[in-house]
Amino acid sequence: MSGLIIGTLALASVWDIKTQRVPNLISLVLFVIAIFALVVQPEPVSVKALLAAILVTLAITLPGYIKGRLGGADIKLLLALALLSSFEQMLWLLITAFVLFIIYWWVFYRDKEHAPFVPALFVAVCLQTFIV
């Protein structure tokens, strides 16, 4: 399942780098994968943990969206990932993605007003999947 998620995020990253947009279809695919994973998971998912992951995602990303710093696709992808994460996992994913984004922005985009966020999210998910 993680291979599908990483593959979808890789595709979204390329799209984001090239066009600064991610098609809704890619976000939808990630949501479908997440919902499928929830349904076939052998252990029942705690609704409380699921809501906590979603709420921390919204609390951290909505201000950025309102200020025009994050795009709608960034939030949709993060919300899909929140369906697969606990509060702690999602918090660490967000922190890692934002730290990577700051580094990525500094190296490649500091002279520009906008930079793609999804590549940083992709790398953060890879780190969380393969290292943690």
Side-chain angles (χ1 to χ4, degrees):
M1 194 67 60
S2 61
L4 288 173
I5 294 165
I6 289 171
T8 304
L9 285 173
L11 179 62
S13 294
V14 171
W15 213 291
D16 199 19
I17 289 169
K18 288 186 176 187
T19 66
Q20 296 263 322
R21 294 191 142 341
V22 177
N24 286 331
L25 182 60
I26 294 175
S27 299
L28 179 63
V29 166
L30 195 59
F31 267 106
V32 169
I33 293 168
I35 291 169
F36 180 75
L38 284 173
V39 170
V40 300
Q41 192 168 332
E43 299 174 14
V45 177
S46 163
V47 174
K48 185 177 176 183
L50 191 61
L51 286 175
I54 290 169
L55 288 176
V56 74
T57 302
L58 289 173
I60 291 174
T61 59
L62 277 181
Y65 178 74
I66 291 168
K67 291 183 177 185
R69 301 291 180 207
L70 280 174
D74 302 328
I75 294 176
K76 287 184 269 187
L77 293 172
L78 284 165
L79 286 172
L81 292 170
L83 295 176
L84 301 167
S85 306
S86 68
F87 172 83
E88 293 84 13
Q89 290 170 323
M90 199 62 210
L91 186 59
W92 279 112
L93 179 64
L94 288 163
I95 291 168
T96 305
F98 283 116
V99 167
L100 289 169
F101 175 74
I102 291 167
I103 295 166
Y104 175 76
W105 171 81
W106 181 258
V107 172
F108 297 108
Y109 288 91
R110 69 178 150 196
D111 297 332
K112 298 178 181 168
E113 189 172 330
H114 297 286
F117 177 74
V118 179
L121 179 59
F122 166 70
V123 173
V125 168
C126 287
L127 288 172
Q128 193 173 41
T129 302
F130 297 115
I131 294 178
V132 177

